[in-house]
Amino acid sequence: KTDNGSEVANAIKSTVDTMKMSQRARLDQAVISARLYGNAPLSALGCETSLPVSPLSSARESIKDNIIQSIIDTSTATIGENKPRPYFLTDGGDYKLQRRAKKRTQFSDGIFYEQKAYDIGSEAQRDAEIFGDGWVRVGVEFGRIVFERVLSVELWCDGLEGALTLPRQLHWERPVDREKLIALFPKGNIDQKVRDRL
């Protein structure tokens, strides 16, 4: 255990690198799945794979019908027509409690609209059909609730730790714009924020 922010960061990086090495097959499968769906490489996301370049890359324009892509897009559009929403109800409450429940429903509706929750949900569903997992992060940035699509190849968890119970740690690795990162973690607060997130 250490209170030094640099040592904590190096320890986390080492842990994630070990997970990547032991879960190489998962990353290779994600690359195969992306190619089957749209012949799209994952290298732009920083995914290093041991697989060779797809032989279909040069013949991409000659492929007329991609059945896998067609099935996934149809399924996503069909299921995406359903728009579930949180709804606050009271159990025999007075007028004040019923009004509070109505305001909370309006607030959640506003957050869903502002963050385009249904569009992000459809993207996560498509990811689930392509890669096997679809993720949406709900968090707070600059005092606002945000919804964000997260790809499964960005998330790393110890397979042994999560085999029989909920894992105690989940690592999210993604390239982030330097200016945004500095704004999220102002100088002087970064060590405390890192400790708070551990």
Side-chain angles (χ1 to χ4, degrees):
K1 186 173 179 177
T2 178
D3 290 334
N4 187 319
S6 298
E7 291 179 17
V8 171
N10 289 334
I12 292 172
K13 176 84 168 79
S14 175
T15 300
V16 171
D17 288 344
T18 302
M19 289 179 189
K20 284 182 174 181
M21 292 296 293
S22 65
Q23 298 177 26
R24 176 68 72 180
R26 180 172 75 94
L27 188 55
D28 287 346
Q29 183 57 53
V31 171
I32 292 170
S33 298
R35 289 176 181 171
L36 288 172
Y37 174 74
N39 199 30
L42 291 176
S43 56
L45 301 173
C47 296
E48 298 173 6
T49 178
S50 58
L51 297 176
V53 176
S54 172
L56 295 177
S57 297
S58 59
R60 184 173 183 180
E61 298 302 322
S62 64
I63 298 175
K64 300 297 182 199
D65 294 318
N66 184 336
I67 301 300
I68 294 172
Q69 185 179 37
S70 177
I71 290 171
I72 289 175
D73 288 347
T74 301
S75 171
T76 301
T78 303
I79 296 174
E81 291 177 358
N82 299 322
K83 299 199 181 326
R85 64 189 273 244
Y87 198 79
F88 295 85
L89 295 173
T90 61
D91 187 9
D94 58 8
Y95 171 76
K96 185 177 180 181
L97 193 60
Q98 291 175 0
R99 187 169 181 273
R100 184 183 301 170
K102 183 177 180 181
K103 290 288 185 185
R104 289 183 178 178
T105 301
Q106 291 173 345
F107 175 76
S108 65
D109 287 347
I111 294 294
F112 271 49
Y113 177 79
E114 177 189 57
Q115 292 298 316
K116 300 180 179 170
Y118 296 115
D119 294 338
I120 294 172
S122 291
E123 292 174 358
Q125 181 196 341
R126 180 178 286 113
D127 290 341
E129 293 182 24
I130 296 171
F131 302 112
D133 293 307
W135 299 85
V136 175
R137 178 184 83 93
V138 180
V140 177
E141 289 183 3
F142 309 112
R144 308 279 304 175
I145 297 173
V146 294
F147 290 24
E148 187 174 6
R149 171 189 178 205
V150 179
L151 293 175
S152 60
V153 294
E154 298 172 342
L155 298 174
W156 299 97
C157 174
D158 188 342
L160 294 176
E161 183 182 346
L164 300 176
T165 184
L166 290 176
R168 296 178 60 199
Q169 57 183 331
L170 177 67
H171 300 276
W172 180 26
E173 185 180 52
R174 163 186 281 187
V176 179
D177 181 69
R178 179 177 299 194
E179 297 301 322
K180 180 179 179 181
L181 199 58
I182 291 171
L184 285 172
F185 300 100
K187 190 173 182 180
N189 296 342
I190 190 163
D191 285 346
Q192 183 60 43
K193 290 197 175 191
V194 167
R195 279 198 295 273
D196 290 344
R197 290 174 184 249
L198 293 178

